[in-house]
Amino acid sequence: MGYFLIKLRRRSVLKLRNLWENRLGTRSRIVPIAMLIGVAGAVAAAVLHELVALLEKGGACLRSSDSPALKILFLILPLAGIALSYFIQRSIGGNRYAKSLSPLILALNRRRTAIPLRDTFTHILSSAVSVGMGGSAGLEAPSVLTGAAAGANTAGFFGIDRRQKMLMIGCGAAAAISAIFQSPIGGVLFAIEVLLPEFSVAALVPMLISSAVAMVVSRAFFHHEQVLFVINPQWRLDAIPFYFLCGIFCAVIGVIVIRSVYFLTAVLKKKLASPWRRVFAGGLILCAVLAVFPVLRGQGYFFITRLFKGDMEALLNNCPLIAKLPFPVALTLIIAAAVLIKAAVSALTVESGGDGGIFAPAMFVGAFAGFAFARLINLTGIVVLQEENFVVIGMCGVFSAVLRAPLTGVFLIAEVTFSYILLVPLMIVSGVAYAVARLFEQHSIYRKALAEADLLSDDRDQAMLRTLSVRVCITPEFTPLAPELSMKQLRKIIENSPKTEFFPVLGSTGELLGVVRLEQITPVLFDPQFAETMLVFDLMETPRIVLDEDDDLSRAVSLLEKTSQDNLPVKKRNGKFMGFVSAADIFKLYRGLVREADSF
């Protein structure tokens, strides 16, 4: 297949591309390619959701069966899904298989756009069996990763350069969200806020086209969109203070979601180092939790629609073990589990070996959090709040707090639920949840690990400099010195190197022993009494800091500022001296990066 694509590209595609560019210009090709990516994103989302629906239908048949053996099989189905998902990841996805958007965010931040072709289908297979067989996770992150892979490989197939290739990745991500939720604006805003925050307004045009095409294709040919239609009553002015309070409540819940996911992930990796042990131990724990709280299975959108309708009986009927308790106690336990345990169960699904994302769980938790907030206020008798409205704004609040994408939260929830009448409350809750959550957790759930590992920074300068290693800025021309040279011999070398102000002193195998700086040795260099008695070894300075060739320019700049030096030596992986990195050369390269970023 790969050979066929390469042959097709060489024979036809490149010729057509050149003909197109010669007649219509280079930039004109972006629009049709964005449309093609939109179609690919819609098809990928359709295939994924059809597979999940098929597997869920099979699971429902097992649950409704009268056979005890089949019912037991239904209970352990999530474990089988996790094991099968992990097998797909390892056998097809490779060692660098990513189940989160964090690696994609880091790659785009470093201007790396190469995504393997296999990522256009591995996430579909892996997440389908994981979620379709009962795992508690969302399909949006796998869909986004699939769309991004489709965008990157389509751009590569048509010979798009690196800058525009990043834009095509954003088009694929936007198309995936648009196809799933029938939310073209939400898809574009998600790509801009979460994946490509540095892109300019001009980049919205191809993303809008790709997102719109994905929605049209999805609506015309497929019926998998995740629409949570609800008829909302008009929001009231007397509820405004409670929208602000709900935003604060959602922020707290969002922080709990982030911390619980990272805590459980750390515990699993510490206690269960072996991947297959995590699969079976984590899978068994997951099966036990889902047996008690079946409402936590899958994505959970069905139960969100039950909340809209106020159908509490549906929640109880799906939790037969809990339903035996008195109604208020049973309902309280189910809602508490939905708010406090759903995120942890989702993390357990993914970290045990399954595949999925936190996108849908955040919306699920938010819906129940908003409902719980409104129900508690109503029980006090202070005011009567419209509970269906708070289900919607709760989804938006927790989503914004967890993903730190307030605009995406507003428009995505409004488009998914058709709650355009609630735009003002959505804006209030989203803004408050975003601002309050940042007080406790500075980064989103995707960026937290990257920021703590010092791999990602909100500082634009650092982000740009981290995209390149010191190898691209090394001055390879230098005059090496031997440590046994006398001042008389050194003077002759300096006379033949008039532009050099510092010299590396190297050992017999090329390792760096020290640095001789011209300005520091000048008084001794021309003194006759030291011509034969003093050696280079006596005057060289042992460098306090030596950079590795794999270090990025951000670290080089930080060390240059810390040491107050103009140059730093660089060594290869094998320890041999490679050259010097200067502050002037880095600044010159940085100006080029700024111009490139502005051109986005």
Side-chain angles (χ1 to χ4, degrees):
M1 182 65 178
Y3 175 75
F4 171 76
L5 292 176
I6 293 174
K7 194 174 181 180
L8 176 64
R9 182 173 183 269
R10 288 177 177 175
R11 286 187 174 181
S12 304
V13 174
L14 294 182
K15 293 181 180 179
L16 291 174
R17 186 199 69 180
N18 295 333
L19 180 62
W20 181 290
E21 291 178 357
N22 292 333
R23 293 193 175 187
L24 301 177
T26 303
R27 294 188 177 184
S28 63
R29 63 181 176 176
I30 295 300
V31 172
I33 294 177
M35 296 174 66
L36 183 60
I37 292 173
V39 174
V43 172
V47 172
L48 174 57
H49 281 261
E50 289 298 329
L51 287 175
V52 171
L54 183 63
L55 291 171
E56 287 179 342
K57 185 177 180 180
C61 293
L62 293 177
R63 183 179 184 181
S64 59
S65 174
D66 296 330
S67 172
L70 294 181
K71 288 185 178 295
I72 294 175
L73 180 60
F74 172 78
L75 293 178
I76 63 172
L77 204 58
L79 171 60
I82 289 176
L84 184 56
S85 176
Y86 181 74
F87 174 76
I88 293 173
Q89 295 166 32
R90 294 280 74 83
S91 59
I92 303 178
N95 295 328
R96 295 188 177 183
Y97 185 85
K99 294 183 285 187
S100 168
L101 295 184
S102 297
L104 177 61
I105 292 173
L106 179 60
L108 294 176
N109 184 264
R110 301 289 176 87
R111 305 288 192 269
R112 297 169 184 166
T113 57
I115 300 178
L117 181 62
R118 62 174 179 266
D119 283 9
T120 57
F121 60 88
T122 50
H123 291 286
I124 294 176
L125 299 175
S126 178
S127 60
V129 297
S130 180
V131 177
M133 297 176 74
S136 181
L139 296 174
E140 295 77 18
S143 298
V144 169
L145 291 170
T146 302
N153 285 279
T154 302
F157 183 73
F158 286 99
I160 302 296
D161 60 43
R162 180 172 60 88
R163 291 184 300 168
Q164 293 178 337
K165 194 174 181 181
M166 292 180 64
L167 182 57
M168 295 300 99
I169 291 175
C171 289
I177 296 298
S178 176
I180 294 171
F181 290 108
Q182 299 287 281
S183 174
I185 297 177
V188 172
L189 291 176
F190 175 81
I192 290 294
E193 286 190 300
V194 178
L195 299 181
L196 302 169
E198 294 183 4
F199 270 59
S200 64
V201 176
L204 289 173
V205 176
M207 289 188 190
L208 285 170
I209 293 173
S210 181
S211 185
V213 169
M215 178 177 175
V216 171
V217 172
S218 174
R219 177 170 292 185
F221 299 101
F222 309 109
H223 303 282
H224 63 275
E225 67 273 7
Q226 189 60 64
V227 177
L228 309 173
F229 180 75
V230 58
I231 300 177
N232 293 99
Q234 175 68 48
W235 58 276
R236 304 195 308 262
L237 288 175
D238 61 345
I240 291 293
F242 296 97
Y243 294 142
F244 282 92
L245 291 176
C246 186
I248 297 173
F249 179 68
C250 289
V252 174
I253 297 299
V255 172
I256 292 174
V257 167
I258 295 174
R259 293 186 176 179
S260 63
V261 167
Y262 275 87
F263 174 77
L264 184 60
T265 299
V267 170
L268 283 175
K269 291 182 177 180
K270 181 179 179 180
K271 300 295 184 181
L272 302 171
S274 171
W276 282 109
R277 288 183 62 186
R278 283 200 298 270
V279 167
F280 289 104
L284 288 174
I285 296 173
L286 177 65
C287 291
V289 175
L290 296 181
V292 179
F293 298 104
V295 295
L296 304 182
R297 292 178 70 99
Q299 301 178 81
Y301 290 121
F302 170 79
F303 298 105
I304 296 178
T305 61
R306 299 301 95 192
L307 287 181
F308 287 149
K309 298 178 180 180
D311 187 4
M312 300 299 104
E313 292 295 331
L315 300 179
L316 295 176
N317 292 337
N318 280 275
C319 297
L321 296 179
I322 303 297
K324 298 177 181 180
L325 300 173
F327 178 80
V329 176
L331 184 61
T332 301
L333 286 176
I334 293 173
I335 294 176
V339 174
L340 300 176
I341 302 179
K342 175 66 174 180
V345 174
S346 299
L348 184 62
T349 300
V350 176
E351 296 303 326
S352 296
D355 196 1
I358 199 66
F359 206 106
M363 296 172 66
F364 180 89
V365 171
F368 278 85
F371 174 82
F373 176 85
R375 178 61 62 92
L376 288 174
I377 296 298
N378 288 339
L379 290 176
T380 63
I382 299 175
V383 67
V384 178
L385 299 179
Q386 301 146 313
E387 292 180 351
E388 59 268 46
N389 285 1
F390 277 83
V391 172
V392 174
I393 66 173
M395 293 169 64
C396 176
V398 174
F399 181 93
S400 299
V402 173
L403 276 75
R404 304 297 161 84
L407 289 176
T408 304
V410 171
F411 287 96
L412 178 65
I413 301 304
E415 289 180 308
V416 170
T417 62
F418 291 84
S419 302
Y420 302 102
I421 197 173
L422 298 181
L423 276 179
V424 172
L426 288 171
M427 292 164 64
I428 292 173
V429 171
S430 181
V432 172
Y434 174 84
V436 174
R438 281 182 61 90
L439 299 177
F440 300 97
E441 283 288 350
Q442 185 178 359
H443 301 283
S444 71
I445 194 167
Y446 295 131
R447 291 176 172 256
K448 178 179 172 66
L450 300 175
E452 290 179 349
D454 197 29
L455 296 174
L456 199 65
S457 173
D458 293 331
D459 186 278
R460 189 189 186 212
D461 295 337
Q462 287 189 10
M464 286 184 180
L465 292 173
R466 281 177 172 172
T467 62
L468 298 173
S469 68
V470 295
R471 286 191 297 268
V472 303
C473 211
I474 289 176
T475 303
E477 299 178 359
F478 55 86
T479 304
L481 302 178
E484 65 273 9
L485 290 176
S486 65
M487 290 299 98
K488 183 178 180 180
Q489 293 171 316
L490 177 59
R491 192 161 56 240
K492 291 181 180 180
I493 293 175
I494 292 176
E495 290 173 355
N496 295 324
S497 306
K499 296 182 179 180
T500 305
E501 298 182 357
F502 43 89
F503 302 85
V505 182
L506 306 182
S508 58
T509 59
E511 75 278 9
L512 182 67
L513 301 179
V515 177
V516 172
R517 299 184 183 276
L518 185 59
E519 61 180 9
Q520 296 178 350
I521 67 169
T522 301
V524 179
L525 187 63
F526 297 97
D527 193 330
Q529 64 176 324
F530 297 119
E532 299 291 345
T533 58
M534 185 168 287
L535 305 178
V536 168
F537 178 82
D538 301 318
L539 295 176
M540 71 179 187
E541 293 180 352
T542 302
R544 291 179 293 170
I545 297 173
V546 179
L547 295 171
D548 291 324
E549 61 174 320
D550 295 322
D551 288 337
D552 56 57
L553 291 181
S554 176
R555 183 170 188 269
V557 169
S558 176
L559 293 175
L560 284 168
E561 293 177 350
K562 183 178 180 180
T563 58
S564 300
Q565 295 183 7
D566 296 328
N567 300 273
L568 286 176
V570 182
K571 66 178 181 179
K572 296 181 180 180
R573 296 189 188 96
N574 58 11
K576 292 185 178 181
F577 178 72
M578 195 172 183
F580 290 96
V581 167
S582 68
D585 289 339
I586 293 177
F587 178 71
K588 181 179 179 180
L589 184 62
Y590 170 75
R591 292 178 61 187
L593 291 174
V594 171
R595 286 194 296 269
E596 180 182 341
D598 292 340
S599 68
F600 284 168

